[in-house]
Amino acid sequence: MFKKRAHYYWDKFAYSDKRKRGLKSILVSSAAILASLILALLLTCIVYKDISLFGKILAKFFTAPFTSSFYDSTISRIAIFAVAATSFLIASKCGLFNIGISGQMFFGAAVATIVAQHMISVPNGLSQIILLLISVVSAMAIASIIGILKAYLNVNEVVSSIMFNWIIYFVATFFLAKFCIADSSGLFTQPLGTLNGNTPNLVFQMSDGSSWLPTIILMISMVIFAIVILGFTTFGKKIVNTGMSVTAAKYAGYNTKANQIYAMLISGAMAGVLGVMVYLGSATNMPINVAAKTLPQEGYTGISVGLIAMSNPIAVLPVSLLFGMIDASKAALIDLSIQPAMTDAIFGIVVYGAAVISLFYFIVPFKWYLRIFKGKAYTDHYDKYVDHVMSEINRANSALYYLHKIHKMKFQSEEIQHMLNSANVKLERYKIHVNNTISHEELNAYENEVFAKYWSFKKDAYEKFTKLVAETKIKYTKDSSGGSP
């Protein structure tokens, strides 16, 4: 009987629409990344007129990032890209395109840096928490303005985000220059790690100067937070439903304006965490001259990662892994005499080429496999067979739901009577009649009856399916031979 149970649960997973969508998203993302990477490598080979670079660059991508010279940078970049993508997908789940992540993270980190340079005798550990909260609140303040403009004035969030990015950048660099100590070049703030010797309690780094552990902890926290809030809370479901259709959400009684603002606030909060990871973890200093640096690119890369991951918090991790490896390996490509501009071009092609995933969304490799190795007749009837099996799985699942529900309800009431009536209708096909005193042994026996019935149905359905395929193949053969047997 265990075999029948396992077979049922496997079919329930293998044939479900949710599994199909998830698998298709993985295949589409993988195909997009692979195609853009091949294109970038081929372009490099053409520019340098050396086809051997294809294999050499590919080897560098998958080996150099995890050598002792690059592993800290690799892990930090992976974590940074994952948090940036998570910040983007929180807003996108509510139908908002937060292209202002770069500006929000820069502003949050700028305020935190100004406070850090004036901190006096704050214990290690407490100072990191204070700086993190300051960055988060500052970034949320900017994100809230964008959310309010969208919710109440219908100002496109893309336009307002882009405008705020540059306003924030110039305002923040002005205050950084005014209130922070500059380094010897005069272009950046003095690194927090060397400021008054307060290395341990001002930056998100370990004693050896590496930042991979703090950034990994922050990344895991943010990804888990996104998974829980979007998948397991009523609040998250309201945000998702608002993103699916604002009109339908209004008719359902949701406060759509508040949901849009909340989504932008959470997205901004994660951008604040991202600012700490970049400027108080990896770099520990910030530009105080507009000629020193443009807006941080981590926010824009995070948007690409989020799009490739189909706004799935779990899928963000493998995509960030690949992007982090490619970004960290750019320095290693100098050994191959490839100019830095070309390495940036390679990364840019992979980032923006992989984001164009819609070109690959209609690829159905499993159907190609069926048609090539099983034949056209098999392909024509396979979907009908799967739908037939899924209908039986749904009936069995409904029966099992009622059985467990009644087993938990050990009292007389109108609800239990209604449950009993519904259950007996559902279980009639299984020759089972239940009451409100089901024991554990009876429940197990009833379940076995359901699984046995499904097993029998599945075998019968497959026999009919194979027979239909065979008959169709004979028909195709007759038609192609002009009707002769």
Side-chain angles (χ1 to χ4, degrees):
M1 187 54 66
F2 173 78
K3 180 179 180 181
K4 296 177 182 179
R5 286 173 177 258
H7 199 80
Y8 165 79
Y9 285 116
W10 168 252
D11 288 344
K12 185 178 178 181
F13 165 77
Y15 296 134
S16 68
D17 290 336
K18 183 177 181 180
R19 194 277 311 167
K20 290 178 181 177
R21 289 194 299 269
L23 180 59
K24 190 166 188 178
S25 297
I26 293 172
L27 291 174
V28 166
S29 300
S30 301
I33 292 171
L34 181 61
S36 57
L37 180 59
I38 291 174
L39 177 63
L41 295 183
L42 288 176
L43 179 62
T44 306
C45 293
I46 293 172
V47 170
Y48 285 92
K49 299 178 182 179
D50 185 359
I51 194 64
S52 65
L53 284 177
F54 190 97
K56 293 177 181 178
I57 295 174
L58 205 59
K60 286 286 186 181
F61 279 154
F62 292 101
T63 58
F66 297 104
T67 59
S68 58
S69 303
F70 295 101
Y71 80 90
D72 178 50
S73 174
T74 301
I75 297 176
S76 296
R77 302 307 287 175
I78 292 169
I80 286 169
F81 291 155
V83 174
T86 306
S87 172
F88 169 75
L89 70 85
I90 289 288
S92 70
K93 286 291 186 180
C94 197
L96 303 173
F97 199 98
N98 186 11
I99 203 172
I101 297 172
S102 292
Q104 293 155 24
M105 64 176 280
F106 189 87
F107 184 76
V111 176
T113 299
I114 292 171
V115 173
Q117 288 219 356
H118 295 83
M119 271 187 170
I120 301 175
S121 302
V122 180
N124 187 25
L126 178 61
S127 60
Q128 281 95 341
I129 296 175
I130 292 173
L131 294 176
L132 181 63
L133 291 176
I134 289 172
S135 180
V136 166
V137 172
S138 302
M140 288 176 68
I142 302 301
S144 67
I145 298 174
I146 298 171
I148 290 171
L149 290 174
K150 171 65 177 179
Y152 290 98
L153 299 177
N154 199 27
V155 177
N156 187 282
E157 70 278 5
V158 174
V159 176
S160 59
S161 294
I162 293 173
M163 295 299 102
F164 268 104
N165 276 350
W166 289 106
I167 293 172
I168 290 165
Y169 178 72
F170 291 123
V171 171
T173 50
F174 170 79
F175 283 106
L176 285 167
K178 184 176 180 63
F179 295 106
C180 290
I181 304 172
D183 65 2
S184 57
S185 70
L187 300 178
F188 295 88
T189 60
Q190 183 176 339
L192 295 177
T194 61
L195 187 65
N196 300 326
N198 291 329
T199 302
N201 67 324
L202 287 179
V203 296
F204 286 74
Q205 292 182 346
M206 295 181 287
S207 57
D208 61 355
S210 61
S211 59
W212 66 268
L213 182 58
T215 54
I216 281 292
I217 292 173
L218 290 172
M219 178 199 75
I220 294 174
S221 302
M222 293 299 100
V223 172
I224 291 176
F225 174 79
I227 292 172
V228 171
I229 198 170
L230 292 175
F232 300 97
T233 66
T234 304
F235 172 73
K237 294 296 183 183
K238 289 181 178 179
I239 287 180
V240 173
N241 292 337
T242 301
M244 293 175 66
S245 174
V246 175
T247 304
K250 287 180 179 179
Y251 278 107
Y254 296 164
N255 187 340
T256 55
K257 290 183 172 59
N259 290 340
Q260 290 176 332
I261 295 173
Y262 292 150
M264 284 300 299
L265 283 173
I266 297 173
S267 179
M270 290 189 173
V273 174
L274 179 64
V276 165
M277 294 169 67
V278 173
Y279 291 109
L280 279 71
S282 299
T284 74
N285 64 1
M286 297 193 71
I288 58 176
N289 188 302
V290 293
K293 192 178 181 182
T294 59
L295 278 168
Q297 297 301 305
E298 288 83 3
Y300 299 114
T301 305
I303 293 174
S304 298
V305 173
L307 290 173
I308 295 171
M310 303 285 191
S311 296
N312 186 327
I314 298 177
V316 159
L317 297 176
V319 179
S320 298
L321 172 64
L322 178 62
F323 276 44
M325 289 170 58
I326 295 174
D327 186 62
S329 64
K330 289 192 297 184
L333 296 183
I334 297 176
D335 298 338
L336 300 177
S337 299
I338 297 177
Q339 297 177 358
M342 194 65 205
T343 61
D344 290 335
I346 293 172
F347 183 67
I349 292 173
V350 174
V351 170
Y352 296 106
V356 189
I357 56 178
S358 58
L359 297 176
F360 299 89
Y361 200 75
F362 295 101
I363 295 176
V364 189
F366 181 64
K367 290 294 181 64
W368 294 353
Y369 165 80
L370 290 180
R371 182 174 289 272
I372 294 172
F373 295 100
K374 296 288 188 176
K376 187 176 185 301
Y378 195 99
T379 308
D380 290 344
H381 299 295
Y382 179 76
D383 286 338
K384 295 178 182 178
Y385 164 73
V386 170
D387 291 341
H388 196 41
V389 172
M390 276 305 300
S391 65
E392 181 63 21
I393 289 175
N394 291 333
R395 281 194 291 266
N397 191 59
S398 179
L400 293 171
Y401 164 79
Y402 278 107
L403 282 173
H404 282 272
K405 189 75 173 178
I406 293 170
H407 180 62
K408 293 178 181 178
M409 300 173 69
K410 298 292 186 180
F411 52 87
Q412 289 285 349
S413 68
E414 291 183 2
E415 184 180 7
I416 189 66
Q417 191 59 47
H418 174 72
M419 289 291 297
L420 284 170
N421 293 337
S422 300
N424 284 315
V425 170
K426 297 287 184 183
L427 295 168
E428 184 178 355
R429 65 182 279 105
Y430 303 103
K431 309 302 181 186
I432 298 174
H433 183 80
V434 296
N435 53 58
N436 67 327
T437 59
I438 298 178
S439 65
H440 181 76
E441 292 75 14
E442 287 175 319
L443 176 64
N444 190 57
Y446 291 150
E447 284 186 336
N448 289 338
E449 288 292 329
V450 174
F451 293 128
K453 183 76 174 180
Y454 170 75
W455 176 267
S456 175
F457 170 87
K458 175 71 182 298
K459 289 197 298 184
D460 182 59
Y462 189 75
E463 289 175 0
K464 292 179 179 178
F465 167 67
T466 53
K467 183 179 178 181
L468 183 61
V469 170
E471 292 174 350
T472 307
K473 286 182 177 178
I474 293 173
K475 179 179 180 297
Y476 285 157
T477 303
K478 287 183 177 180
D479 292 342
S480 61
S481 61
S484 59

